[in-house]
Amino acid sequence: MRDATMSGDCRGWPVDLSNIAERTVINIEAELDFWEQIISANGFPGLEQSFHQLRPTLKFSYDAYLAWKGEALVELESVLKCSYDRQIDPRKRLDWLYAERVVKVVWFRLGISDVV
């Protein structure tokens, strides 16, 4: 599955989440509340968007983390971009340059230290 999607082919998404490593659980509502507080108080580093505008990209970032946990983010760039373009409504989608920044910050928050 990984080889097919790494070439930029989106047919590998959505990933079968039934065998996610160690059944990782994330309280998405608590995470979104965290980001809403941070963004309301300080904004999001390098972005001008409100929490409401960033919410779909934040949710995508957590879904991607669950689907690809253990993979190097740099190796996933093309599949993540393709997945983002397919999953997020164009009216709610950030330019990938900014969406990728959101993904990196979320993954860093989740303990992946080699994302920046």
Side-chain angles (χ1 to χ4, degrees), residues 5-64:
T5 57
M6 298 320 299
S7 66
D9 182 354
C10 289
R11 290 179 289 182
W13 189 270
V15 173
D16 177 10
L17 299 178
S18 63
N19 292 319
I20 293 301
E22 291 116 34
R23 300 282 187 197
T24 302
V25 176
I26 296 173
N27 182 337
I28 189 66
E29 292 307 318
E31 288 296 310
L32 292 173
D33 287 345
F34 166 83
W35 287 113
E36 185 172 21
Q37 291 174 11
I38 294 295
I39 293 165
S40 295
N42 306 316
F44 194 92
L47 297 175
E48 300 290 326
Q49 285 80 4
S50 69
F51 171 76
H52 179 73
Q53 293 167 310
L54 290 171
R55 192 174 197 278
T57 304
L58 287 164
K59 287 184 74 173
F60 171 83
S61 300
Y62 285 99
D63 290 343

Side-chain angles (χ1 to χ4, degrees), residues 66-85:
L66 290 171
W68 296 101
K69 183 178 178 189
E71 297 289 333
L73 190 56
V74 68
E75 293 179 16
L76 296 172
E77 183 176 356
S78 63
V79 72
L80 287 174
K81 181 185 182 319
C82 186
S83 298
Y84 184 75
D85 289 346

Side-chain angles (χ1 to χ4, degrees), residues 56 84-94:
Y84 184 75
D85 289 346
R86 287 183 58 186
Q87 292 182 5
I88 305 299
D89 183 324
R91 296 168 292 176
K92 298 178 181 179
R93 192 182 308 149
L94 300 178

